[in-house]
Amino acid sequence: MITESYRIKGGNFEHAGSASSSLKERLKKIGVEIKDMRRVMITAYEAEMNVVIHARRGIMRITLNNGQIDIEVTDEGPGINNIDQAMKEGYSTAPAEARELGFGAGMGLPNIKKNSDLFEIESTVGRGTRLRSTIYLKLQVISGSVRNSLHIVSELCSECMRCIHACPTKAIRVRNGRPQILEHLCIDCTACIAVCDTGALGVEGAGDFKEPSEDTFLIIPASFLVQFGVNTGPERVLAALTELGFRNVLITEAWEDALHEAVIKYAQEETKVKPVISPLCPSVVNLIEMRFPSLIGNIAPFLSPIQAAQNECKYMYKCKAKAQDAVFVASCPGQHTGLKLKALSINVRVITPASLFKAVLPLSDEKDKISRQYGPVPRDPQPQGVLHISGIHHVMNVLEKAENGLLNDVHVLELFMCDQGCFGSPLMVEDPFVARHRWLNTQIKYTRSAEAVRRKNAFLARPGLRLDADMSKAIMKLQKIDELIKSLPGKDCGFCGAPTCSSLAEDIVMGRAEREACVYLDVDEDKTK
Amino acid sequence: MKLKELAEKIGARVVQYGKSAGIEIKRVYAGDKMSDLLSEATEETLLVTNLANTQLVRVAELMDVPGICLLNDVVPGPELVRSSIEHGTAIIVSKSGMFETCGCMYQCLYGGGNSGS
């Protein structure tokens, strides 16, 4: 824990902002993530300027804990008469001198609140004001671009620790009563969301549902259509979406099928290394890029189905000036990230299945109108040589086998992190096996034919597991970790907030945790006394 | 577009480029309210403003802003120039007002027809 305080002089516009400047230098050395740095700077600067503009003098106290910063600014000044009014955007009591310099827009306090995770203010007229802001700081990403879309709502965390054990790449820690993601390790799968009962873990950008315009395209996964029980078939759901105003509904399965065929064709070329891995599931691709880099050459160079769908929307926009905006229902954080990575000229919004569920429900009893019982539909048999595997543990096993060259008899691998592919996303409600069964027993015609799209950029290995960019330093760190592991109990209990003792050892060496976090150490030391 | 190229295209007077001549400008934000500038500033944003005071450079420094474009051919005070040199923030001065300057920059960055993002 680091505590610092800075004095702020009222009315001194010349040196105003210096406390914020020196705070910035400190945070840089710690390596705070850039988005959070911005939030801290806006908060600190606005709070500092409030003292300079309104008060005689003040003090800014900074407390830096693991993963959070508390900024407390107390001043001796006139105080605030009506705090509710002061919190309104555009309300200001700044003097003319400050306004001339561009201050006094009445945005200061609202700006601070907007950028804080926790915010409180109290004031006594004639004496002064005390403002407290807490900002949670993300752990530093070692290198590479940030590629995940998990969303954390800290307040909901009950510290059950299930997520830390569920994460296949050991990317989650629960410390200070809230989950943290080590972004360089996260592969955007859904394992943690699936075990989180409180809703503390979810997908980013859930966003409110907005009225679609005439040209809005809605792109949904097939699994969405089979979430409403036995009497409400996909046709009924599609009709409900039309009632909502979505005239153009596309189902991502069209692109999944297109990719499926394209990959089989691609694998038929003799020269390809077997097995060819289909990039159907973005999370599987992330896993390979991080844990199985030697298999990167096996991934067929196509865009994921949802990215191909996104491309299609862009194309439609270009040639017909239609599809001004597109709403995607992403069934997992991986798809969400895939959509975020591409900048487009059209307005793309990504929503969670849950927000569309709410919009569609209640599905009225007009079931006679369209709903239909499920019945068997003839499907093409799976072509030979294609191995379809779903579920994290099976996927990991198979990749390990493939890496060791034990799967040469398989032509194409179709891997999904979730059980039964996207039907098993924890963002859906129906049981994955039931949902898939129902889908296979219906026949929905795609409204347009889809094509697989070749990637322009190659897949790249992620530096995820690397301890340091400098190899010699990384080796030293590794040695330290090994020594630490010996001193830890090896029970992998998870009480320290890390999933295993070796993860804790790594966290300690990387400065993400203290050795005291281990609950067993005290007991052992007591015994030796 | 690189800051240097943009400055040349809009015919701005260059007080100094600091460390930013070769920085890619992805976004321009114009405003005369400090809070606005603060919350919209990023490391790829050029700020366009009438506020020629030292606090502006402070905001630029805190938010890693590569450069500031002042308006109406104003002559920045020695204090502002000194602190911008210290922090390496680029200062350019447009001959025209905010509206004309922004229009000009828009043409340079997004002009040439199609993409109106």
Side-chain angles (χ1 to χ4, degrees):
Chain A
M1 193 176 89
I2 303 170
T3 329
E4 283 166 339
S5 46
Y6 303 97
R7 286 182 189 288
I8 307 165
K9 243 176 111 180
N12 184 342
F13 285 94
E14 185 96 351
H15 291 105
S18 57
S20 304
S21 292
S22 42
L23 175 61
K24 184 180 186 191
E25 285 311 305
R26 306 277 295 185
L27 291 181
K28 260 192 195 162
K29 279 180 198 153
I30 298 167
V32 172
E33 202 218 35
I34 189 142
K35 259 196 242 158
D36 292 332
M37 177 79 103
R38 284 177 52 84
R39 293 164 60 211
V40 175
M41 280 306 114
I42 291 173
T43 305
Y45 182 74
E46 292 279 16
E48 188 178 354
M49 289 318 297
N50 275 347
V51 178
V52 174
I53 295 167
H54 298 285
R56 288 185 295 278
R57 64 179 89 92
I59 283 184
M60 178 173 357
R61 284 196 195 84
I62 304 293
T63 316
L64 252 175
N65 265 318
N66 187 14
Q68 79 179 62
I69 183 168
D70 296 296
I71 301 168
E72 187 192 51
V73 180
T74 2
D75 69 42
E76 294 168 29
I80 300 169
N81 191 19
N82 183 342
I83 289 185
D84 287 343
Q85 204 170 26
M87 292 306 299
K88 280 202 191 112
E89 292 186 6
Y91 177 82
S92 174
T93 56
E97 186 197 3
R99 285 179 194 254
E100 252 168 45
L101 293 170
F103 297 101
M107 294 300 292
L109 289 175
N111 238 354
I112 295 176
K113 192 173 177 195
K114 200 159 61 187
N115 286 289
S116 307
D117 288 312
L118 303 174
F119 172 79
E120 55 187 71
I121 183 166
E122 54 192 54
S123 184
T124 320
V125 174
R127 296 187 62 180
T129 303
R130 194 184 74 108
L131 176 154
R132 256 181 77 101
S133 156
T134 299
I135 295 169
Y136 295 136
L137 303 174
K138 277 237 186 70
L139 297 171
Q140 177 184 23
V141 178
I142 291 176
S143 64
S145 54
V146 183
R147 293 186 281 188
N148 74 53
S149 301
L150 269 180
H151 181 66
I152 301 176
V153 186
S154 309
E155 301 88 73
L156 294 180
C157 180
S158 63
E159 294 182 74
C160 68
M161 302 286 175
R162 279 183 217 156
C163 53
I164 61 171
H165 295 296
C167 177
T169 56
K170 301 192 178 74
I172 305 190
R173 306 290 182 268
V174 175
R175 294 201 176 114
N176 303 331
R178 60 202 176 82
Q180 297 173 299
I181 307 288
L182 301 180
E183 283 179 343
H184 60 287
L185 294 179
C186 177
I187 53 165
D188 254 352
C189 74
T190 51
C192 54
I193 301 176
V195 297
C196 186
D197 287 343
T198 62
L201 294 163
V203 183
E204 231 174 55
D208 284 336
F209 176 80
K210 274 187 225 142
E211 283 284 304
S213 76
E214 202 168 294
D215 292 331
T216 302
F217 272 74
L218 175 71
I219 297 92
I220 51 170
S223 53
F224 183 86
L225 299 173
V226 287
Q227 298 295 312
F228 301 89
V230 67
N231 286 324
T232 313
E235 289 96 340
R236 174 71 188 95
V237 182
L238 280 174
L241 290 170
T242 319
E243 278 165 36
L244 263 183
F246 288 110
R247 297 201 196 156
N248 311 294
V249 180
L250 307 176
I251 304 171
T252 46
E253 200 189 44
W255 284 274
E256 282 160 30
D257 286 351
L259 179 63
H260 173 80
E261 271 157 39
V263 171
I264 290 174
K265 217 169 160 190
Y266 171 86
Q268 276 164 355
E269 295 168 38
E270 280 302 314
T271 46
K272 297 287 180 284
V273 210
K274 297 286 161 13
V276 170
I277 301 171
S278 175
L280 273 164
C281 172
S283 183
V284 167
V285 171
N286 291 340
L287 178 68
I288 294 172
E289 288 178 341
M290 197 184 80
R291 280 276 291 271
F292 303 96
S294 66
L295 292 176
I296 287 176
N298 294 45
I299 310 176
F302 293 92
L303 294 181
S304 74
I306 204 156
Q307 284 176 321
Q310 193 184 23
N311 243 24
E312 181 80 23
C313 289
K314 185 174 152 192
Y315 178 73
M316 284 191 282
Y317 171 63
K318 263 196 185 155
C319 58
K320 288 179 201 157
K322 264 192 171 179
Q324 297 277 357
D325 57 343
V327 178
F328 282 80
V329 176
S331 50
C332 68
Q335 292 191 337
H336 199 297
T337 306
L339 293 170
K340 260 196 322 202
L341 286 178
K342 296 190 85 183
L344 284 183
S345 47
I346 59 167
N347 181 16
V348 170
R349 267 182 299 139
V350 188
I351 60 175
T352 54
S355 50
L356 194 57
F357 285 150
K358 276 185 218 145
V360 174
L361 291 171
L363 285 173
S364 56
D365 294 329
E366 302 163 86
K367 63 183 173 194
D368 314 340
K369 214 163 81 186
I370 327 162
S371 95
R372 201 193 58 170
Q373 292 292 326
Y374 299 96
V377 171
R379 292 262 157 173
D380 298 337
Q382 282 277 333
Q384 282 191 331
V386 178
L387 183 54
H388 186 96
I389 287 169
S390 63
I392 290 174
H393 298 289
H394 300 298
V395 166
M396 299 272 264
N397 279 344
V398 165
L399 285 175
E400 231 147 82
K401 283 209 164 72
E403 188 160 54
N404 296 337
L406 298 170
L407 276 184
N408 297 337
D409 55 332
V410 177
H411 282 268
V412 175
L413 264 182
E414 294 192 340
L415 307 173
F416 292 92
M417 285 302 237
C418 299
D419 276 329
Q420 300 296 310
C422 298
F423 291 95
S425 161
L427 303 181
M428 299 294 175
V429 280
E430 187 59 276
D431 178 84
F433 293 84
V434 175
R436 181 147 190 268
H437 173 80
R438 287 201 179 134
W439 177 250
L440 291 180
N441 281 322
T442 51
Q443 207 163 25
I444 295 280
K445 281 191 200 113
Y446 307 137
T447 42
R448 42 185 307 127
S449 59
E451 274 175 37
V453 182
R454 282 270 186 164
R455 281 176 69 96
K456 290 188 185 119
N457 323 336
F459 294 102
L460 289 176
R462 291 173 150 209
L465 300 172
R466 216 162 50 188
L467 293 171
D468 199 301
D470 178 334
M471 196 186 268
S472 63
K473 279 185 194 154
I475 292 169
M476 268 167 50
K477 284 179 181 169
L478 205 57
Q479 276 176 344
K480 275 191 206 159
I481 291 172
D482 287 343
E483 278 166 34
L484 265 168
I485 291 175
K486 281 181 209 149
S487 76
L488 293 168
K491 293 186 193 290
D492 294 349
C493 66
F495 284 126
C496 60
T500 62
C501 290
S502 54
S503 328
L504 176 64
E506 184 178 326
D507 286 353
I508 295 169
V509 171
M510 304 300 280
R512 298 190 288 249
E514 302 282 327
R515 194 160 183 277
E516 286 70 33
C518 180
V519 292
Y520 282 95
L521 283 182
D522 302 338
V523 183
D524 286 351
E525 274 160 21
D526 285 345
K527 271 183 198 162
T528 53
K529 267 175 200 168
Chain B
M1 184 178 288
K2 302 257 189 295
L3 178 62
K4 187 160 184 253
E5 200 183 331
L6 184 64
E8 281 163 10
K9 276 198 176 167
I10 66 161
R13 182 158 51 82
V14 177
V15 177
Q16 70 137 3
Y17 279 129
K19 53 194 176 197
S20 305
I23 296 263
E24 191 72 24
I25 299 295
K26 296 239 172 91
R27 203 168 154 266
V28 174
Y29 189 83
D32 283 343
K33 288 292 175 204
M34 213 54 109
S35 288
D36 264 355
L37 296 171
L38 180 70
S39 57
E40 293 292 333
T42 74
E43 69 280 5
E44 293 166 336
T45 305
L46 177 70
L47 295 182
V48 179
T49 183
N50 285 304
L51 298 172
N53 60 54
T54 45
Q55 279 307 307
L56 183 68
V57 183
R58 178 78 77 183
V59 165
E61 175 213 341
L62 290 175
M63 306 311 285
D64 296 315
V65 169
I68 297 164
C69 178
L70 301 175
L71 300 166
N72 296 323
D73 220 357
V74 77
V75 179
E79 276 299 298
L80 184 143
V81 174
R82 194 179 50 80
S83 66
S84 72
I85 288 171
E86 200 177 304
H87 299 301
T89 311
I91 303 281
I92 60 176
V93 184
S94 164
K95 291 185 181 66
S96 41
M98 186 179 277
F99 179 72
E100 290 78 8
T101 308
C102 288
C104 218
M105 285 184 178
Y106 190 92
Q107 275 298 318
C108 295
L109 290 174
Y110 307 116
N114 50 20
S115 79
S117 60

